[in-house]
Amino acid sequence: MSMSPGWYLRRLSRMEPREVGGRMGDAVRRRRWRSAPPDCPAVSGARFTAALPAGTISEVPADAAKRLVAEADRLLTGQARYFGVNRDDLVEPDWWYDPKTGRRAPWGYAFDVPYRNEDAVGDIKQIWELSRHQHLTVLAAAYAITGQERYAERVAAHLRSWWAENPPLRGVHWVSGIELGIRLLSWVWIRRLLDGWPGAAGLFEDNPAALQQIWHHQRWLAAFPSRGSSANNHVIAEAAGQFAASCAFAWFPSSARWRADALRSLDRQLRGNTFLSGLNRELATEYHGLVLELGLAALAEADAARVPVPATVRLVLLRMTDALAAIVDSRLRPPRQGDADDGHGLVVDGAGTDRWGSLLATGDAVFGRLDWWPEVTGTDVRTPLLAALIRPYAKPGTGPTVRRPASRPAHFADAGMTILRGPGEIWCRCDGGPHGFLSIAAHAHADALSVEVRHEGVDVLADPGTYCYHGQPEWRQYFRSTLGHNTLELDEADQSVSGGPFLWTRHARSRVLDVDAADEGVARWCAEHDGYGPSAHRRRVELTGRELRVVDEIRGGRRAARLAFHLGPAVAAELVGNRAELTWTKDGADRSAVLDLPEQLTWRAHRGETDPPLGWYSAGFGRKEPATTLIGSGPSPAGEFTTVLRFHG
């Protein structure tokens, strides 16, 4: 997918003058940088001093270590899986190859590479992911745990290969700042985890190629930060990577300046990207996880290097952790809201490790769990590693005393998110918040007033997910559309207007009118949005015991309406008239519910349709599977129309 002139005009219209000026300066700098890049300044006597404290590795739980080593052994055979695509060619990888399309990205000056054009480059996510070098942090962690040099030697071979084949400013891996930032963070941890290996210094501080790469990555990040309407999770990754490298690899004349600038940016952007309630402003839950991982990793580097950080950095990360503990369901699954691309800040764990449980375990170690937090029963490698470096928040002098929630929050007013809970592990998310973050709302979906319902952690009324970003515009459009969510569509149009795959030119405005999210009795929520002006869509949700009632109303004129309810992939449905009998299995036991749909609409079940797409669920980026979607169509009903979901005992 290449961008049309119209897209560039729409994108420009979402920028403030200051951002336009900054981007013009970037364009001039890119032209100037076309000439041969400079060599990094001479470095002498460089030493790595940010090693793990003695005894840290012994704190890694045995089962987490076992999962990690199994993953590392699979990587040694050249096997991995990225975004639903299996690879077996990673013993000596082609860093520019996309296994999904079979294409190879072209060589050339980085800023000339048309990375959004899948026909010319391939699937850029497939190409970029391997070069985040998070498979190498796994191998390095396996070396730290086992002492077996075969893991370290594979890491060294891959790094030397990558550095040789990706010289500064040449090729697709020098295009995006988030990639450079995460790669730097990986290199810091690789060096740390290989510290006991005799070849570690020769691979990093005594290696001119490594020094050249580390210096140029930081030079790039200092020159081309994400700006204005693009200052979302990308700028956090850029600042975190720059800060981590300038702490752990403080070997260059510019290191102190890079470190100070990155810390200021990290502090400012963490605050800017996070509501006071602790939820991420992009309202895309996976990016909440990514930003929290990046922030914790950056904090670890600060404390390891004894670099003071503003109290607001720890405070934001504390609030993010408490918010995460508040919104997960009984099985520690957070909402499936907004975009999700399986991005991680730091990977040192094997397959089967629960990401969200790991973050809460780290939060417990660093900030201390509150009484209402859910119990984390799983283990991970990352928590003891980070906890060994980060000073516990509760120690005197590590930050101001803050008031944390005395009980589990259910309503996050600034983010417009409300969690209703009922018996039998019923969990319901109601969305009455902003459309997205900043003027382009890049990772938002047109999902105002949508609901997401689970029973014992199983998606019953599901958010279908994301599936893809580039290269498949009809699928990108479907998964972020109003019809692709459990809400109401009018006149076959989205509530918000899309200007491209990461651009919204008009944002529906929602407001929550009433909330009573008590854990006992009747939990209520009511909100409306103006995305279909002059009409307004108002929705009321009530959870009473095991019954969920959704009441919709369209105010201001009759319109063609489609009301969608997307079932999770585990749920089978038998639709007769306006009643759907739902069945699924959980932990070997049969479960069931009945869904009574508004009789004013005509109901049909859709599953796995492609022209146009309808009836799909994406469990992760690049993956999709058929799932049942129930669509009610007809003229918008007069007055209220009601949907009732009853869970059987």
Side-chain angles (χ1 to χ4, degrees), residues 464 467 479 567-570 607-608 615-620 623-628:
Y467 178 54
F479 276 99
L567 308 182
R607 185 177 179 87
W616 295 91
Y617 178 94
S618 174
R623 294 176 284 154
K624 68 180 188 298
E625 60 186 300
T628 300

Side-chain angles (χ1 to χ4, degrees), residues 440-515:
I440 64 172
H443 291 298
H445 290 187
D447 57 357
L449 309 196
S450 63
V451 295
E452 184 184 2
V453 181
R454 298 179 193 153
H455 181 269
E456 299 175 325
V458 173
D459 292 311
V460 178
L461 300 182
D463 184 299
T466 300
Y467 178 54
C468 66
Y469 282 170
H470 300 287
Q472 298 170 282
E474 71 281 7
W475 290 101
R476 175 65 169 153
Q477 171 59 24
Y478 169 68
F479 276 99
R480 69 206 289 256
S481 69
T482 298
L483 190 64
H485 294 82
N486 298 317
T487 188
L488 180 72
E489 177 204 73
L490 296 182
D491 294 339
E492 298 188 358
D494 287 337
Q495 310 152 336
S496 297
V497 176
S498 171
F502 297 98
L503 172 64
W504 296 91
T505 56
R506 183 174 62 78
H507 303 180
R509 293 176 299 177
S510 303
R511 61 178 184 139
V512 175
L513 304 174
D514 183 48
V515 173

Side-chain angles (χ1 to χ4, degrees), residues 243 263 266-268 270-271 274 276 278 292 295-323 362-363 365-368 386-402 404:
F243 180 72
L263 181 56
L266 185 68
D267 178 35
R268 181 174 66 253
L270 277 174
R271 286 183 282 114
T274 309
L276 287 177
L292 181 54
L296 289 169
L299 184 59
E301 298 308 324
D303 287 353
R306 302 186 185 280
V307 174
V309 298
T312 44
V313 170
R314 296 180 197 270
L315 180 58
V316 169
L317 298 176
L318 168 64
R319 286 174 172 162
M320 291 184 72
T321 307
D322 280 340
T362 303
V366 173
F367 303 119
L386 288 174
L389 299 175
I390 300 176
R391 299 197 312 272
Y393 193 73
K395 284 187 176 180
T398 59
T401 300
V402 298
R404 298 171 68 185

Side-chain angles (χ1 to χ4, degrees), residues 9 15 93 141 151 155 221 249 258 264 296 404 449 454 502 507 542 573 595 602 642:
L9 289 174
M15 300 181 194
Y151 300 116
V155 171
L221 289 171
F249 302 146
W258 287 336
R264 279 193 296 270
L296 289 169
R404 298 171 68 185
L449 309 196
R454 298 179 193 153
F502 297 98
H507 303 180
E542 297 179 355
L595 186 62
T602 301
T642 302

